[in-house]
């Protein structure tokens, strides 16, 4: 029997298990993860604090998943070393586990920058895991004044999750706009205005210079008093296992479209690994749930002797804040089509006869049409692009394409 070892227990790891089992029903699978939790959907931790979900509904797969897929799950265990010559991994306990094929799906870790006086802050947290959410929840009261460092996805989802449980929320970010990694200035302004109407205060283009207990002094000289601090400035891919073993690591672990790394029989997937972004034509880390699953699933199929490749990776985010939906995808480069009002914003980026990216806020209906144009690299001169800009729908596509999508024609 083949012996597969998977390091990780999130989206990419689960995709790998299912990829392996699609080709190999009997090979032994050992899954190792530092968190002592059944696999769960990380993006839902803010909804847990809001009371919109519970831990049972957060589970990414049923309780029976490991047993049904004949997986030995070593939860609460940490891998400290990968030896590609001996083909084994070493746990913190000293136990060595051999492998024939290995997937590294170690995810990422919150980045906490050095900040003067941070050690004097009594209640400080990150916001990436279920344990983080529980720790934060344990100190919140109706009188809590919360300071969040970071106006990106993690910081703003935290703000949404705790808004009704605290007295006030102040968000500080060095960038001059909210969600700077996924929104342009126009989209960011719409979202910021909407969030301010929910009672969230922002100090943008500023940063915490130093802390003294429960007072933060910003670079601008402004002081902010708080009770609870959340640090959400970004994440770092967990690449050290592969790097220390001699594998190629750039921003993330270098892996091809089959999931293979530069180490023999070692694959990588998820937030720790790079993908080829077809919208921008570059390799980069795409820390996104759908990409993580597809990377992991592809790796699993190949680990089990099948043939698969994942060559449609693009940046994509589908999120919402206090009822305002936002969907973004691709790269923001080229000519544009733009339409907006106070809440709804649409901008499409296109060049070289291809749609390259888009930003939608408010009305996000049929965003999948735009995503398909990007992923499938459909030439714009084969569709009614003017119609698609105004009202995305299958009628803007050729009859052949419509028949393919509706199941009436085999490609």
């Amino acid at each position: 029997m083949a012996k597969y070892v998977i390091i990780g227990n999130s989206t990419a790891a689960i995709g790998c298990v299912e990829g392996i089992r699609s080709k190999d029903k009997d090979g032994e699978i050992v899954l190792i993860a530092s968190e002592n939790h059944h696999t769960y959907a990380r993006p839902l931790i803010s909804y847990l604090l809001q009371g919109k979900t519970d831990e049972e509904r957060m589970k990414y797969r049923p309780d029976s998943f490991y047993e049904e897929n004949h997986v030995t799950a070593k939860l609460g265990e940490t891998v400290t070393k990968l030896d590609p010559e001996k083909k084994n991994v070493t746990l913190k306990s000293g136990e060595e586990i051999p492998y024939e094929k290995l997937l590294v799906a170690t995810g990422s870790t919150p980045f906490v920058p050095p900040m003067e006086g941070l050690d004097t802050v009594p209640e400080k947290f990150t916001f990436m895991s279920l344990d983080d959410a529980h720790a934060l929840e344990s100190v919140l009261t109706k009188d809590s004044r919360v300071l969040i460092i970071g106006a990106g996805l993690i910081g703003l989802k935290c703000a949404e999750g705790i808004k009704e449980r605290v007295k006030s929320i102040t968000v500080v970010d060095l960038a001059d706009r909210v969600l700077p990694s996924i929104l342009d200035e126009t989209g960011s302004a719409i979202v910021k205005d909407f969030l301010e109407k929910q009672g969230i205060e922002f100090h943008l283009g500023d940063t915490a210079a130093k802390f003294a207990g429960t007072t933060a002094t910003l670079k601008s000289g402004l002081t902010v008093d708080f009770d609870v601090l959340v640090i959400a400035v970004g994440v770092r891919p967990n690449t050290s296992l592969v790097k220390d073993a001699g594998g190629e690591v750039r921003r993330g672990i270098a892996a091809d479209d089959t999931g293979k790394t530069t180490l023999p029989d070692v694959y990588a997937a998820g937030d720790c690994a790079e993908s080829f972004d077809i919208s921008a034509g570059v390799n980069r880390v795409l820390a996104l749930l759908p990409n993580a699953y597809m990377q992991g699933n592809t790796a699993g199929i190949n680990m089990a002797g099948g043939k698969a490749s994942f060559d449609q990776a693009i940046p994509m985010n589908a999120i919402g804040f206090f009822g305002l939906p936002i969907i973004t995808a691709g790269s923001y480069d080229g000519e544009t089509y733009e339409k907006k009002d106070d809440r709804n914003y649409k901008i499409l980026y296109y060049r070289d006869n291809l749609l390259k990216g888009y930003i939608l806020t408010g009305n996000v209906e049929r965003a999948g049409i735009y995503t398909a144009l990007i992923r499938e690299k459909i030439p714009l001169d084969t569709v009614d692009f003017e119609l698609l800009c105004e009202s995305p729908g299958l009628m803007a596509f050729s009859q052949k394409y419509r028949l393919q999508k509706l199941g009436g024609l085999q490609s």
Side-chain angles (χ1 to χ4, degrees):
M1 287 196 301
K3 186 176 185 72
Y4 308 99
V5 172
I6 298 170
I7 308 173
N9 188 32
S10 198
T11 312
I14 300 309
C16 183
V17 170
E18 293 176 344
I20 290 171
R21 286 294 177 242
S22 72
K23 297 296 179 183
D24 181 350
K25 304 298 184 186
D26 302 313
E28 182 183 1
I29 300 176
V30 177
L31 181 149
I32 309 162
S34 297
E35 284 189 84
N36 197 20
H37 298 293
H38 185 89
T39 184
Y40 66 94
R42 291 181 188 277
L44 297 182
I45 61 173
S46 64
Y47 297 112
L48 178 71
L49 294 189
Q50 276 184 290
K52 289 186 174 181
T53 191
D54 54 38
E55 287 191 42
E56 195 62 32
R57 286 183 289 165
M58 284 178 67
K59 290 177 178 177
Y60 191 57
R61 290 293 184 271
D63 286 335
S64 58
F65 177 80
Y66 305 116
E67 183 179 356
E68 287 180 353
N69 286 281
H70 309 295
V71 174
T72 300
K74 290 179 169 289
L75 305 182
E77 300 271 11
T78 300
V79 176
T80 58
K81 183 181 178 183
L82 158 60
D83 190 329
E85 292 187 4
K86 293 182 180 178
K87 296 190 75 170
N88 67 26
V89 297
T90 303
L91 305 187
K92 190 175 182 180
S93 63
E95 181 184 1
E96 294 183 352
I97 299 178
Y99 66 82
E100 292 179 18
K101 303 286 184 180
L102 173 71
L103 177 78
V104 179
T106 45
S108 57
T109 301
F111 172 60
V112 179
M115 291 182 280
E116 183 182 342
L118 186 59
D119 59 333
T120 70
V121 178
E123 302 290 358
K124 53 184 179 286
F125 305 87
T126 53
F127 194 72
M128 266 198 70
S129 69
L130 188 54
D131 288 340
D132 288 342
H134 284 317
L136 176 60
E137 183 179 37
S138 71
V139 304
L140 294 179
T141 72
K142 282 291 186 182
D143 294 321
S144 295
R145 299 163 299 170
V146 180
L147 173 60
I148 299 175
I149 308 296
L153 289 166
I154 295 172
L156 295 188
K157 288 307 289 185
C158 178
E160 181 189 37
I162 66 176
K163 176 66 178 63
E164 298 305 315
R165 308 181 66 152
V166 301
K167 182 178 181 180
S168 66
I169 297 175
T170 302
V171 179
V172 174
D173 199 300
L174 186 58
D176 62 357
R177 63 183 194 265
V178 304
L179 300 173
S181 66
I182 67 168
L183 293 181
D184 62 4
E185 290 184 7
T186 302
S188 177
I190 290 172
V191 173
K192 176 176 175 286
D193 180 65
F194 182 82
L195 293 176
E196 286 176 331
K197 289 175 181 175
Q198 314 307 311
I200 297 173
E201 181 181 356
F202 290 94
H203 297 293
L204 302 177
D206 210 346
T207 189
K210 62 180 179 180
F211 295 94
T214 56
T215 298
T217 301
L218 306 187
K219 188 177 180 181
S220 64
L222 183 73
T223 59
V224 179
D225 294 321
F226 62 92
D227 303 299
V228 178
L229 174 68
V230 178
I231 302 170
V233 296
V235 299
R236 294 280 175 85
N238 294 323
T239 61
S240 59
L241 284 175
V242 170
K243 184 177 182 180
D244 292 347
E248 183 181 358
V249 170
R250 299 184 288 254
R251 284 291 185 90
I253 299 168
D256 65 17
D257 61 8
T258 70
K260 284 184 180 178
T261 71
T262 57
L263 298 175
D265 296 318
V266 176
Y267 294 70
D271 294 5
C272 64
E274 292 187 347
S275 301
F276 183 73
D277 174 4
I278 62 170
S279 68
V282 296
N283 287 297
R284 57 174 159 176
V285 175
L286 296 172
L288 309 163
L289 190 146
N291 282 345
Y293 180 85
M294 289 305 302
Q295 269 188 304
N297 189 256
T298 298
I301 291 170
N302 290 305
M303 289 163 69
K307 288 187 177 181
S309 63
F310 177 45
D311 56 3
Q312 291 190 328
I314 60 171
M316 184 174 177
N317 289 278
I319 53 174
F321 299 101
F322 302 100
L324 177 68
I326 302 166
I327 299 183
T328 70
S331 59
Y332 308 152
D333 179 29
E335 297 182 69
T336 60
Y337 165 86
E338 185 176 342
K339 184 178 182 180
K340 71 181 180 73
D341 55 34
D342 291 343
R343 175 187 172 93
N344 303 296
Y345 178 51
K346 175 194 293 187
I347 184 167
L348 308 179
Y349 294 84
Y350 57 96
R351 62 179 170 83
D352 301 331
N353 199 33
L354 296 171
L355 185 66
K356 291 295 184 178
Y358 67 82
I359 297 171
L360 301 175
T361 72
N363 182 2
V364 297
E365 289 183 9
R366 300 189 176 182
I369 295 287
Y370 295 136
T371 305
L373 279 167
I374 300 170
R375 282 196 192 279
E376 298 175 29
K377 297 182 178 181
I378 298 171
L380 296 183
D381 61 8
T382 66
V383 302
D384 187 339
F385 188 53
E386 186 175 339
L387 176 60
L388 281 173
C389 287
E390 287 293 329
S391 179
L394 282 176
M395 287 308 298
F397 291 83
S398 68
Q399 183 182 29
K400 180 180 178 182
Y401 183 86
R402 294 200 307 271
L403 287 170
Q404 286 176 341
K405 289 299 174 185
L406 295 173
L409 181 67
Q410 297 298 314
S411 58

